[in-house]
Amino acid sequence: MPEANQPTRAEQNTPSEVPPPGHIDGPFDSRSIDLGRIESLQVLDEHGQVEDGLDPKYDDETLLKVHRAMVLTRAFDARMLAMQRQGQMGTFAPNLGQEACMIGQVWSLGPDDWFAPSYRSFGAQIWRGWSMEHLMRLWAGYHSGFPPPDGVKDLPFSIVIGSHVLPSVGLAMAMRRAQDAHCAVVNFGDGAFSQGSVSEALNFAAVEQAPIVFVCENNGWAISTPIDKQSGNDVLATRGLGFGVRSLRVDGNDILAMMMATQEACRRAREGQGPTLIEAVTYRMSLHTTADDPSVYRDESLVDAWKNRCPIARFETYLANRNLLSSEQADQVRAACEQEVLDARTQFRETAVAEPRQIFDHLYAEMPDELEEQRLEYLRRLDRKGVK
Amino acid sequence: MPEANQPTRAEQNTPSEVPPPGHIDGPFDSRSIDLGRIESLQVLDEHGQVEDGLDPKYDDETLLKVHRAMVLTRAFDARMLAMQRQGQMGTFAPNLGQEACMIGQVWSLGPDDWFAPSYRSFGAQIWRGWSMEHLMRLWAGYHSGFPPPDGVKDLPFSIVIGSHVLPSVGLAMAMRRAQDAHCAVVNFGDGAFSQGSVSEALNFAAVEQAPIVFVCENNGWAISTPIDKQSGNDVLATRGLGFGVRSLRVDGNDILAMMMATQEACRRAREGQGPTLIEAVTYRMSLHTTADDPSVYRDESLVDAWKNRCPIARFETYLANRNLLSSEQADQVRAACEQEVLDARTQFRETAVAEPRQIFDHLYAEMPDELEEQRLEYLRRLDRKGVK
Amino acid sequence: MPSITMVESLNLALDEALAQDNRVCLMGQDIGVNGGVFRVTKGLQARYGKDRVMDSPLAECGIIGTAVGMAIYGMKPIAEIQFSGFSLQAFDQIEQNMSRLRNRTQGRFEISMVMRTPYGGGIRAVEHHSESRETYWAHTPGLKVVIPSGPRNARSLLAAAIADPDPVVFYEPKSIYRAFREDVPEEPETMPLGKAQVVRPGEDITIISYGAMIRPVREAVDDLSDQHGIDVELIDLLTISPMDTTTLVESVRKTGRCIVVHEGHRTCGIGAEVVARLAEHGSFEYLVAPLRRLTAPDLPFPYFQVEQHFLPDPDDVVETACELMNWN
Amino acid sequence: MPSITMVESLNLALDEALAQDNRVCLMGQDIGVNGGVFRVTKGLQARYGKDRVMDSPLAECGIIGTAVGMAIYGMKPIAEIQFSGFSLQAFDQIEQNMSRLRNRTQGRFEISMVMRTPYGGGIRAVEHHSESRETYWAHTPGLKVVIPSGPRNARSLLAAAIADPDPVVFYEPKSIYRAFREDVPEEPETMPLGKAQVVRPGEDITIISYGAMIRPVREAVDDLSDQHGIDVELIDLLTISPMDTTTLVESVRKTGRCIVVHEGHRTCGIGAEVVARLAEHGSFEYLVAPLRRLTAPDLPFPYFQVEQHFLPDPDDVVETACELMNWN
Ligand SMILES: Cc1ncc(C[n+]2csc(CCOP(=O)(O)OP(=O)(O)O)c2C)c(N)n1
Ligand SMILES: Cc1ncc(C[n+]2csc(CCOP(=O)(O)OP(=O)(O)O)c2C)c(N)n1
Ligand SMILES: [Mg+2]
Ligand SMILES: [Mg+2]
């Protein structure tokens, strides 16, 4: 895989022609500074054909597992939308078309690595070990849906845009201090990248050489705001460079490229080679959330072009070319995934319980007296209403 | 003057070899992206010799006026330090060695342009029309020292690091809306650049094509924190590029380079060509403030090298070579400036009055009843103490 | 006299302000073509253009910070924060510049701007979308804090907030954005800031509330009157800061009993301030029962499956009023 | 039993925590070689290395946000904000993550961390360096707020805050950093959080205060006793949130009179909360004079030439106490 751009620090081995002097102890160097290049990684082209010599040749089992995860993500997405429309689900944020970003960014993580999802990362969460029934509870507004399942080292998903990025860097800073050879992956959107705290996070990661991989899913939209109103620069990867973080651009609809880029970035992080920013270029084909109506602000014909860039279809062409998956087998995977989602829904319906009496339980390790008094007041209200 | 780097937006004329596609309506472009170069501008070399063909040939009057302003700045600096040591002044932030940054960034501004100083920008403030006596009141903790003088379109100086940068962009956004062909210059430090809000400001400026010039005085230190602990990237100008802001690096101890770079950036801003970031590379030779003791955290021999790069001495060599200023004349300027500062001190001593009874006057346009009650309580306290 | 919802009346007030005064401009996330996620700014970008109704990048601090700069230049920015929970991202700009620049410049700069934002619970939203933290702003000198309770006062208070020479935090009770309609006059109207309204005069007990809570309180007041023969004086604060202490003290001096009802957390909430002002004004001399606060507990707003009984409801008000009426 | 200043006792508590528990780490601007601008962390980086005593970039939001992540990973970060006025830059991380992550994860994540920061006026500093906004944190569910008043309790409260499994905002009264010395024991000691201290028992009137204000209040108390024969019960809150209501109510029930004194602004200040709690606990039945708050006005802290008489002073306390004693 091509070497991506390196931070512009003098003492590091950068592709810049003229490394700038560390100016604290040197005179001003008036030679202009070559910033180098941002690599743009694509392995599968628009038609699912692999670029010459780039095929990472992952083993069959991995490829089929990743394929199934993408299909399952899409099945979950469709079902959640349907459930929301039928009034069985809260507001939901679909992920149609971003399945490659999602699975690609987490597939190489081990159980001791950490993942910090955005609210649109359910595919990645499923891969990480969140049951779909658990995620349904989350989206349906049950408190039990929020904490990561036992053994899963994930942050809860992030609702306040960008607010999880700094804590993710903190996780990585702690890993480095503990000399644990793990890494953290944090996922956020093109809109989130406008938050100043995300810039602060890049800078802290660079200064600390924290083992973290920033995955920015640039899907062209933040609700109704297109990327050109969001940013003065189309290539968000450039920003990483500005803070001294190795940065590259990846075709986010190309699962092989996503897998390669993240695997490499995670390896580097674990080996002490510092953070990476991956800008995954993709497209939000569906609604922002079920509360949103894109027809108000975008020409839906824009979406059509992206249907042809479907990450699952592209991957299936590749798998077919490798004789790994016939179209019948693909249909079988789809059917099995659909069934798995339905089973999860059954589970969800049977097990989700609202526990209004528990809401005070976890604010503090030990309940302060004044809060206990407030809890009793609240319980009296529930009693009066006959709420259990 | 060399063309500096341009934002990486597809539709703009960038020096990048392969402009990246606006991906909302195009396929992924897998060619790597050339980020171009950051120009590093120096006109006067370390010894005050002018680089071939680069001399901007400013007229004599301008050059002498600028020289005098730099000398006056230094005289003010020294006097304020002395006054602080004698207990006649509050905490003060000296600017020794940064005189070229200071005057260079404001010399080309007109009365309808705006300037937003940091707390270390007193030289620029004097140039802009703040009397030294006014600035003494400011640093001595009188309320009357804070508001800009009548007719001076400056923000009050910024104490909360980085907090003035977004409002400065707002000024420029308003100018563009009013179709006023003015611009704003905002000054901040290398430390300030770590604040997320400064990144937000760059992005807003780029998206809005706001007529603003960001001048980051990279003086190597933020109190005790050297630039390599502050940032993962030595070349802070790179950050501007990441947000789509034209960015360049300038020798901040070279007054001619500072003058050229800012004049050009302001001209572009006024003409609707958008924002520029100038990283002025300089050095904080003195204390952070009078409350600081650099010997605790830095090897003072580092400073010695910078004595040889003194912006005033370099400029005086140039002026001497142009037969504009003999060393006797330079001494005369120094003496006159010293006298001017002493006169200001006299003025300050005669006119500065603490007005404890006025502190409630300007919180709201009209005093709310509850505040009036609190004011009366406070006045009763003053009465009791016999405070006028 | 059209009968409109609060979303429509706010839209109307913004439209009127944009039409009247070309210094007025709107900024915020998704407020342009999309008309805001609640559609409060619907149609305004089409009418006034992208420079006066501006879609901002996703950065609240950036929105408030640049709005402050525009105000310094003489514009009157109205900045929308999509949900009040996200105004914390802008806390530094709000406190350090928006609230203080007039004072810092001894009156030379006028920061005539409005931060509009939907607040409060009751719409079954996800975490961080149901906050009521008006205390943060009431405790910040230099700001005014205004909270309407219905379509008609929403329009006139927003007009007054925009006209005000000082920075105003305008909290919109989103749970009643579309809950009911009211007639509004054809002509623009304003209401003075800083004045509470005696919504219903009464003799037995004073209930003080504001915003979305006025609805359940009204229900309780009717019930108290109909079922219990208790004559409540109901006061709608409308402006939280500065607070109309005189109206409050006069009422409680008359009734001798008082309940404050709000959505915000209890500790250091607006209720604490109301009670403290009454106490300072000698309430111990005229009270015949203890003061009571009915508020959200000091707990983050719960997830929506269990949010239903989190806030004070009409029964709480009735029960508490009866308790105070029967105080020995 | 060395006699030390508060700066020294805080340094000692940090040193003890770093030595005892290798999960503890310090982060903040200029806390390393420089030892912090007030020298509270002096010598600690040399002793514990750059990874445990870390100089952070100039970004408060970054400091708190990354500290939260370190806490999730099991460390115990103690983050210094150079002056409390700059904690607003981190407000979003404080409210959205630090205060809520335990609740959000139903107890799975423990955010055992401390945000230390010098607060308050009286050192002739520039704007934004004299704030007392403990209300912001007291009004934020999920945080504890602790404010010591002398070298000895500073050390033991800081030790308790570090040991606490929940996030603590630790406000350090910088005007008394070096104002006086106290003996501290050789061995580390802690004090329970959430308990107020009756500093001086008395019968006539209760005065409640905390932090740097305890000093002028003590002066007044002596004066009241010596010159006026008034026997004050003085309570030092120590923990602002959660508040030790029981101790407060018991005292005022006994004395029948109460003054709250603090540096924070009046509206929705801690005094409002104290008064409201007393009022809810039937203070109208046992008070013999109105409750009084002596606080900073609702005005930004003034510039240092005119700051001297901005805060309540011993004379105010004496005058108010006498007024309440003579209430008809
Ligand atoms: C701090 C904050 N501001 C605003 C919002 C409202 N909001 C929710 S999603 C969203 C757009 C996010 O866009 P992006 O980061 O590109 O992610 P995407 O939705 O495209 O996955 C906005 C503005 C929020 N949740 N948090
Ligand atoms: C938000 C904020 N955080 C911290 C401080 C304390 N402080 C004052 S100056 C300073 C260093 C600023 O460094 P830099 O931006 O490089 O400017 P310089 O002092 O070098 O001119 C710090 C940390 C502050 N004033 N505001
Ligand atoms: Mg997006
Ligand atoms: Mg600096």
PDB file of all heavy atoms in Angstrom, chain A residues 26-50:
ATOM      1  N   GLY A  26      17.052  27.567  15.506  1.00  0.00           N
ATOM      2  CA  GLY A  26      17.698  27.785  14.213  1.00  0.00           C
ATOM      3  C   GLY A  26      17.233  29.068  13.580  1.00  0.00           C
ATOM      4  O   GLY A  26      16.229  29.646  13.988  1.00  0.00           O
ATOM      5  N   PRO A  27      17.973  29.521  12.552  1.00  0.00           N
ATOM      6  CA  PRO A  27      17.548  30.721  11.837  1.00  0.00           C
ATOM      7  C   PRO A  27      16.371  30.406  10.919  1.00  0.00           C
ATOM      8  O   PRO A  27      16.037  29.239  10.702  1.00  0.00           O
ATOM      9  CB  PRO A  27      18.783  31.080  11.018  1.00  0.00           C
ATOM     10  CG  PRO A  27      19.490  29.788  10.793  1.00  0.00           C
ATOM     11  CD  PRO A  27      19.181  28.924  11.971  1.00  0.00           C
ATOM     12  N   PHE A  28      15.745  31.430  10.389  1.00  0.00           N
ATOM     13  CA  PHE A  28      14.619  31.244   9.477  1.00  0.00           C
ATOM     14  C   PHE A  28      15.120  30.644   8.169  1.00  0.00           C
ATOM     15  O   PHE A  28      16.103  31.110   7.606  1.00  0.00           O
ATOM     16  CB  PHE A  28      13.953  32.589   9.213  1.00  0.00           C
ATOM     17  CG  PHE A  28      12.681  32.480   8.415  1.00  0.00           C
ATOM     18  CD1 PHE A  28      11.505  32.082   9.017  1.00  0.00           C
ATOM     19  CD2 PHE A  28      12.671  32.771   7.048  1.00  0.00           C
ATOM     20  CE1 PHE A  28      10.334  31.974   8.289  1.00  0.00           C
ATOM     21  CE2 PHE A  28      11.498  32.666   6.313  1.00  0.00           C
ATOM     22  CZ  PHE A  28      10.333  32.271   6.937  1.00  0.00           C
ATOM     23  N   ASP A  29      14.446  29.617   7.704  1.00  0.00           N
ATOM     24  CA  ASP A  29      14.815  28.983   6.446  1.00  0.00           C
ATOM     25  C   ASP A  29      13.867  29.487   5.379  1.00  0.00           C
ATOM     26  O   ASP A  29      12.667  29.247   5.432  1.00  0.00           O
ATOM     27  CB  ASP A  29      14.692  27.467   6.607  1.00  0.00           C
ATOM     28  CG  ASP A  29      15.231  26.734   5.401  1.00  0.00           C
ATOM     29  OD1 ASP A  29      15.211  27.311   4.284  1.00  0.00           O
ATOM     30  OD2 ASP A  29      15.675  25.585   5.568  1.00  0.00           O
ATOM     31  N   SER A  30      14.408  30.196   4.404  1.00  0.00           N
ATOM     32  CA  SER A  30      13.509  30.864   3.458  1.00  0.00           C
ATOM     33  C   SER A  30      13.156  29.989   2.262  1.00  0.00           C
ATOM     34  O   SER A  30      12.457  30.437   1.358  1.00  0.00           O
ATOM     35  CB  SER A  30      14.130  32.183   2.996  1.00  0.00           C
ATOM     36  OG  SER A  30      15.342  31.906   2.327  1.00  0.00           O
ATOM     37  N   ARG A  31      13.634  28.745   2.264  1.00  0.00           N
ATOM     38  CA  ARG A  31      13.211  27.870   1.161  1.00  0.00           C
ATOM     39  C   ARG A  31      11.747  27.473   1.350  1.00  0.00           C
ATOM     40  O   ARG A  31      11.309  27.241   2.487  1.00  0.00           O
ATOM     41  CB  ARG A  31      14.097  26.625   1.115  1.00  0.00           C
ATOM     42  CG  ARG A  31      15.490  26.927   0.582  1.00  0.00           C
ATOM     43  CD  ARG A  31      16.429  25.774   0.818  1.00  0.00           C
ATOM     44  NE  ARG A  31      16.622  25.511   2.239  1.00  0.00           N
ATOM     45  CZ  ARG A  31      17.351  24.501   2.711  1.00  0.00           C
ATOM     46  NH1 ARG A  31      17.963  23.677   1.882  1.00  0.00           N
ATOM     47  NH2 ARG A  31      17.488  24.333   4.010  1.00  0.00           N
ATOM     48  N   SER A  32      11.014  27.369   0.290  1.00  0.00           N
ATOM     49  CA  SER A  32       9.598  27.005   0.435  1.00  0.00           C
ATOM     50  C   SER A  32       9.516  25.538   0.855  1.00  0.00           C
ATOM     51  O   SER A  32      10.443  24.757   0.657  1.00  0.00           O
ATOM     52  CB  SER A  32       8.841  27.248  -0.861  1.00  0.00           C
ATOM     53  OG  SER A  32       9.180  26.269  -1.809  1.00  0.00           O
ATOM     54  N   ILE A  33       8.398  25.189   1.445  1.00  0.00           N
ATOM     55  CA  ILE A  33       8.248  23.864   2.055  1.00  0.00           C
ATOM     56  C   ILE A  33       7.312  23.007   1.212  1.00  0.00           C
ATOM     57  O   ILE A  33       6.158  23.376   0.973  1.00  0.00           O
ATOM     58  CB  ILE A  33       7.677  24.008   3.478  1.00  0.00           C
ATOM     59  CG1 ILE A  33       8.632  24.866   4.325  1.00  0.00           C
ATOM     60  CG2 ILE A  33       7.459  22.645   4.110  1.00  0.00           C
ATOM     61  CD1 ILE A  33       7.958  25.481   5.529  1.00  0.00           C
ATOM     62  N   ASP A  34       7.822  21.892   0.773  1.00  0.00           N
ATOM     63  CA  ASP A  34       6.995  20.969   0.003  1.00  0.00           C
ATOM     64  C   ASP A  34       6.142  20.174   0.971  1.00  0.00           C
ATOM     65  O   ASP A  34       6.651  19.518   1.882  1.00  0.00           O
ATOM     66  CB  ASP A  34       7.905  20.028  -0.782  1.00  0.00           C
ATOM     67  CG  ASP A  34       7.102  19.123  -1.700  1.00  0.00           C
ATOM     68  OD1 ASP A  34       5.861  19.040  -1.540  1.00  0.00           O
ATOM     69  OD2 ASP A  34       7.720  18.497  -2.582  1.00  0.00           O
ATOM     70  N   LEU A  35       4.849  20.227   0.789  1.00  0.00           N
ATOM     71  CA  LEU A  35       3.963  19.528   1.716  1.00  0.00           C
ATOM     72  C   LEU A  35       3.754  18.073   1.345  1.00  0.00           C
ATOM     73  O   LEU A  35       3.053  17.351   2.042  1.00  0.00           O
ATOM     74  CB  LEU A  35       2.623  20.247   1.789  1.00  0.00           C
ATOM     75  CG  LEU A  35       2.702  21.657   2.367  1.00  0.00           C
ATOM     76  CD1 LEU A  35       1.355  22.332   2.270  1.00  0.00           C
ATOM     77  CD2 LEU A  35       3.161  21.604   3.817  1.00  0.00           C
ATOM     78  N   GLY A  36       4.295  17.677   0.230  1.00  0.00           N
ATOM     79  CA  GLY A  36       4.123  16.288  -0.157  1.00  0.00           C
ATOM     80  C   GLY A  36       2.741  16.021  -0.725  1.00  0.00           C
ATOM     81  O   GLY A  36       2.054  16.944  -1.174  1.00  0.00           O
ATOM     82  N   ARG A  37       2.323  14.781  -0.672  1.00  0.00           N
ATOM     83  CA  ARG A  37       1.078  14.386  -1.322  1.00  0.00           C
ATOM     84  C   ARG A  37       0.168  13.664  -0.327  1.00  0.00           C
ATOM     85  O   ARG A  37       0.636  13.083   0.638  1.00  0.00           O
ATOM     86  CB  ARG A  37       1.379  13.448  -2.494  1.00  0.00           C
ATOM     87  CG  ARG A  37       2.470  13.950  -3.430  1.00  0.00           C
ATOM     88  CD  ARG A  37       2.752  12.969  -4.548  1.00  0.00           C
ATOM     89  NE  ARG A  37       1.663  12.936  -5.499  1.00  0.00           N
ATOM     90  CZ  ARG A  37       1.535  13.767  -6.529  1.00  0.00           C
ATOM     91  NH1 ARG A  37       2.443  14.689  -6.751  1.00  0.00           N
ATOM     92  NH2 ARG A  37       0.511  13.669  -7.346  1.00  0.00           N
ATOM     93  N   ILE A  38      -1.094  13.728  -0.599  1.00  0.00           N
ATOM     94  CA  ILE A  38      -2.054  12.898   0.126  1.00  0.00           C
ATOM     95  C   ILE A  38      -2.353  11.703  -0.780  1.00  0.00           C
ATOM     96  O   ILE A  38      -2.796  11.874  -1.919  1.00  0.00           O
ATOM     97  CB  ILE A  38      -3.376  13.664   0.369  1.00  0.00           C
ATOM     98  CG1 ILE A  38      -3.150  14.872   1.272  1.00  0.00           C
ATOM     99  CG2 ILE A  38      -4.446  12.737   0.910  1.00  0.00           C
ATOM    100  CD1 ILE A  38      -3.365  14.644   2.733  1.00  0.00           C
ATOM    101  N   GLU A  39      -2.103  10.517  -0.288  1.00  0.00           N
ATOM    102  CA  GLU A  39      -2.422   9.339  -1.088  1.00  0.00           C
ATOM    103  C   GLU A  39      -3.927   9.099  -1.088  1.00  0.00           C
ATOM    104  O   GLU A  39      -4.596   9.321  -0.090  1.00  0.00           O
ATOM    105  CB  GLU A  39      -1.703   8.102  -0.532  1.00  0.00           C
ATOM    106  CG  GLU A  39      -0.192   8.178  -0.603  1.00  0.00           C
ATOM    107  CD  GLU A  39       0.339   8.420  -2.013  1.00  0.00           C
ATOM    108  OE1 GLU A  39      -0.331   8.014  -2.995  1.00  0.00           O
ATOM    109  OE2 GLU A  39       1.409   9.045  -2.140  1.00  0.00           O
ATOM    110  N   SER A  40      -4.432   8.643  -2.205  1.00  0.00           N
ATOM    111  CA  SER A  40      -5.855   8.318  -2.330  1.00  0.00           C
ATOM    112  C   SER A  40      -5.954   6.848  -2.683  1.00  0.00           C
ATOM    113  O   SER A  40      -5.549   6.439  -3.774  1.00  0.00           O
ATOM    114  CB  SER A  40      -6.496   9.155  -3.439  1.00  0.00           C
ATOM    115  OG  SER A  40      -6.408  10.523  -3.117  1.00  0.00           O
ATOM    116  N   LEU A  41      -6.473   6.086  -1.765  1.00  0.00           N
ATOM    117  CA  LEU A  41      -6.427   4.634  -1.944  1.00  0.00           C
ATOM    118  C   LEU A  41      -7.738   4.059  -2.465  1.00  0.00           C
ATOM    119  O   LEU A  41      -8.799   4.253  -1.871  1.00  0.00           O
ATOM    120  CB  LEU A  41      -6.077   3.965  -0.603  1.00  0.00           C
ATOM    121  CG  LEU A  41      -5.909   2.446  -0.666  1.00  0.00           C
ATOM    122  CD1 LEU A  41      -4.694   2.061  -1.501  1.00  0.00           C
ATOM    123  CD2 LEU A  41      -5.802   1.883   0.745  1.00  0.00           C
ATOM    124  N   GLN A  42      -7.627   3.370  -3.583  1.00  0.00           N
ATOM    125  CA  GLN A  42      -8.753   2.596  -4.107  1.00  0.00           C
ATOM    126  C   GLN A  42      -8.187   1.268  -4.579  1.00  0.00           C
ATOM    127  O   GLN A  42      -7.147   1.253  -5.241  1.00  0.00           O
ATOM    128  CB  GLN A  42      -9.410   3.346  -5.267  1.00  0.00           C
ATOM    129  CG  GLN A  42     -10.718   2.732  -5.724  1.00  0.00           C
ATOM    130  CD  GLN A  42     -11.278   3.430  -6.947  1.00  0.00           C
ATOM    131  OE1 GLN A  42     -10.589   3.531  -7.968  1.00  0.00           O
ATOM    132  NE2 GLN A  42     -12.508   3.910  -6.868  1.00  0.00           N
ATOM    133  N   VAL A  43      -8.863   0.187  -4.221  1.00  0.00           N
ATOM    134  CA  VAL A  43      -8.399  -1.136  -4.673  1.00  0.00           C
ATOM    135  C   VAL A  43      -9.382  -1.687  -5.696  1.00  0.00           C
ATOM    136  O   VAL A  43      -8.999  -2.125  -6.780  1.00  0.00           O
ATOM    137  CB  VAL A  43      -8.273  -2.100  -3.471  1.00  0.00           C
ATOM    138  CG1 VAL A  43      -7.882  -3.490  -3.941  1.00  0.00           C
ATOM    139  CG2 VAL A  43      -7.248  -1.557  -2.473  1.00  0.00           C
ATOM    140  N   LEU A  44     -10.635  -1.639  -5.338  1.00  0.00           N
ATOM    141  CA  LEU A  44     -11.694  -2.069  -6.264  1.00  0.00           C
ATOM    142  C   LEU A  44     -12.206  -0.850  -7.007  1.00  0.00           C
ATOM    143  O   LEU A  44     -12.607   0.128  -6.380  1.00  0.00           O
ATOM    144  CB  LEU A  44     -12.871  -2.649  -5.472  1.00  0.00           C
ATOM    145  CG  LEU A  44     -12.671  -3.987  -4.774  1.00  0.00           C
ATOM    146  CD1 LEU A  44     -13.923  -4.333  -3.966  1.00  0.00           C
ATOM    147  CD2 LEU A  44     -12.373  -5.072  -5.790  1.00  0.00           C
ATOM    148  N   ASP A  45     -12.236  -0.900  -8.301  1.00  0.00           N
ATOM    149  CA  ASP A  45     -12.771   0.260  -9.015  1.00  0.00           C
ATOM    150  C   ASP A  45     -14.297   0.257  -8.967  1.00  0.00           C
ATOM    151  O   ASP A  45     -14.917  -0.609  -8.342  1.00  0.00           O
ATOM    152  CB  ASP A  45     -12.201   0.340 -10.435  1.00  0.00           C
ATOM    153  CG  ASP A  45     -12.791  -0.724 -11.344  1.00  0.00           C
ATOM    154  OD1 ASP A  45     -13.787  -1.395 -10.955  1.00  0.00           O
ATOM    155  OD2 ASP A  45     -12.259  -0.903 -12.453  1.00  0.00           O
ATOM    156  N   GLU A  46     -14.894   1.225  -9.611  1.00  0.00           N
ATOM    157  CA  GLU A  46     -16.361   1.378  -9.574  1.00  0.00           C
ATOM    158  C   GLU A  46     -17.112   0.107  -9.972  1.00  0.00           C
ATOM    159  O   GLU A  46     -18.259  -0.080  -9.595  1.00  0.00           O
ATOM    160  CB  GLU A  46     -16.786   2.480 -10.559  1.00  0.00           C
ATOM    161  CG  GLU A  46     -16.237   3.836 -10.248  1.00  0.00           C
ATOM    162  CD  GLU A  46     -17.339   4.774  -9.794  1.00  0.00           C
ATOM    163  OE1 GLU A  46     -18.389   4.818 -10.464  1.00  0.00           O
ATOM    164  OE2 GLU A  46     -17.159   5.422  -8.739  1.00  0.00           O
ATOM    165  N   HIS A  47     -16.440  -0.726 -10.789  1.00  0.00           N
ATOM    166  CA  HIS A  47     -17.124  -1.920 -11.290  1.00  0.00           C
ATOM    167  C   HIS A  47     -16.704  -3.167 -10.538  1.00  0.00           C
ATOM    168  O   HIS A  47     -16.985  -4.288 -10.956  1.00  0.00           O
ATOM    169  CB  HIS A  47     -16.853  -2.069 -12.785  1.00  0.00           C
ATOM    170  CG  HIS A  47     -17.089  -0.795 -13.531  1.00  0.00           C
ATOM    171  ND1 HIS A  47     -18.345  -0.259 -13.710  1.00  0.00           N
ATOM    172  CD2 HIS A  47     -16.218   0.089 -14.062  1.00  0.00           C
ATOM    173  CE1 HIS A  47     -18.237   0.901 -14.349  1.00  0.00           C
ATOM    174  NE2 HIS A  47     -16.948   1.133 -14.575  1.00  0.00           N
ATOM    175  N   GLY A  48     -15.996  -2.975  -9.446  1.00  0.00           N
ATOM    176  CA  GLY A  48     -15.614  -4.145  -8.646  1.00  0.00           C
ATOM    177  C   GLY A  48     -14.387  -4.849  -9.180  1.00  0.00           C
ATOM    178  O   GLY A  48     -14.050  -5.949  -8.733  1.00  0.00           O
ATOM    179  N   GLN A  49     -13.725  -4.247 -10.168  1.00  0.00           N
ATOM    180  CA  GLN A  49     -12.492  -4.840 -10.677  1.00  0.00           C
ATOM    181  C   GLN A  49     -11.335  -4.360  -9.800  1.00  0.00           C
ATOM    182  O   GLN A  49     -11.287  -3.211  -9.389  1.00  0.00           O
ATOM    183  CB  GLN A  49     -12.253  -4.413 -12.137  1.00  0.00           C
ATOM    184  CG  GLN A  49     -13.418  -4.748 -13.075  1.00  0.00           C
ATOM    185  CD  GLN A  49     -13.779  -6.229 -13.062  1.00  0.00           C
ATOM    186  OE1 GLN A  49     -12.900  -7.091 -13.055  1.00  0.00           O
ATOM    187  NE2 GLN A  49     -15.089  -6.530 -13.031  1.00  0.00           N
ATOM    188  N   VAL A  50     -10.417  -5.309  -9.555  1.00  0.00           N
ATOM    189  CA  VAL A  50      -9.336  -4.961  -8.652  1.00  0.00           C
ATOM    190  C   VAL A  50      -8.205  -4.281  -9.419  1.00  0.00           C
ATOM    191  O   VAL A  50      -7.894  -4.651 -10.545  1.00  0.00           O
ATOM    192  CB  VAL A  50      -8.850  -6.218  -7.897  1.00  0.00           C
ATOM    193  CG1 VAL A  50      -8.167  -7.187  -8.837  1.00  0.00           C
ATOM    194  CG2 VAL A  50      -7.936  -5.834  -6.739  1.00  0.00           C
TER     195      VAL A  50
END
